[in-house]
Amino acid sequence: MKKFLGYIKISFQFSEHVGARFIAAGLTLRLEYADDYKFVSNAVWESEDYTKAVERGVFDGLIESEINPELGIHITLLQVAFHPIDSSEMAFYAAAKSVVLSRIAISEARKSKIT
C-alpha cells in the first residue's frame, strides 16, 4: 500500500442499469495530499443525505487502487447531483468508488508514460 501524493478535483455523473431500474448519482470531489485522513462534506443534499455512502465508496476505491487512506489524504465532497427517482445510497457509493478507481488509474497511466 502507498500514500496518496497529489491533488485531484473531479466531477462525475454516474448511471447504471441495475435489474429493472437505473441508479444515478453525480458528485464533485477534491482529493489532496495530507499527513492525516479526513473526509469533509460541503455538499447540499436535496433530500436524503448519502455522505457516508460517498465516504465508503471513496475509501474502498482508494484501497483497491493500493492507496492507504490512513497514511494521509484529505477528501472533500464539494457537490452532488441528485435524481429524485434514480438516486440512492447504492448509486452514490458506486459513483464515488468508480470515479476514484478510474481517476487513480488515469493518473498512474500518465506517470508510467512520462518515465
Side-chain angles (χ1 to χ4, degrees):
M1 292 290 226
K2 57 189 173 191
K3 182 175 174 79
F4 179 80
L5 300 172
Y7 174 92
I8 300 172
K9 183 178 177 185
I10 37 178
S11 293
F12 187 69
Q13 288 290 114
F14 175 86
S15 65
E16 182 176 30
H17 192 250
V18 178
R21 61 175 287 215
F22 278 92
I23 60 173
L27 46 85
T28 300
L29 293 168
R30 182 176 59 227
L31 289 75
E32 43 195 333
Y33 166 83
D35 291 327
D36 58 346
Y37 172 78
K38 181 167 66 171
F39 183 94
V40 175
S41 176
N42 295 334
V44 176
W45 294 88
E46 276 184 42
S47 57
E48 297 287 328
D49 184 336
Y50 297 120
T51 299
K52 290 292 182 191
V54 172
E55 182 176 12
R56 282 192 324 272
V58 170
F59 196 92
D60 290 352
L62 289 169
I63 294 294
E64 282 190 36
S65 298
E66 298 184 0
I67 293 173
N68 185 347
E70 303 286 333
L71 295 177
I73 185 170
H74 284 187
I75 304 155
T76 307
L77 175 59
L78 300 169
Q79 190 173 349
V80 295
F82 192 89
H83 187 277
I85 296 170
D86 298 334
S87 287
S88 64
E89 182 176 5
M90 180 173 50
F92 278 96
Y93 171 84
K97 184 175 178 181
S98 297
V99 71
V100 168
L101 284 169
S102 63
R103 189 61 185 103
I104 298 292
I106 291 167
S107 292
E108 294 297 319
R110 284 184 183 157
K111 288 179 192 173
S112 67
K113 289 185 178 187
I114 293 172
T115 56

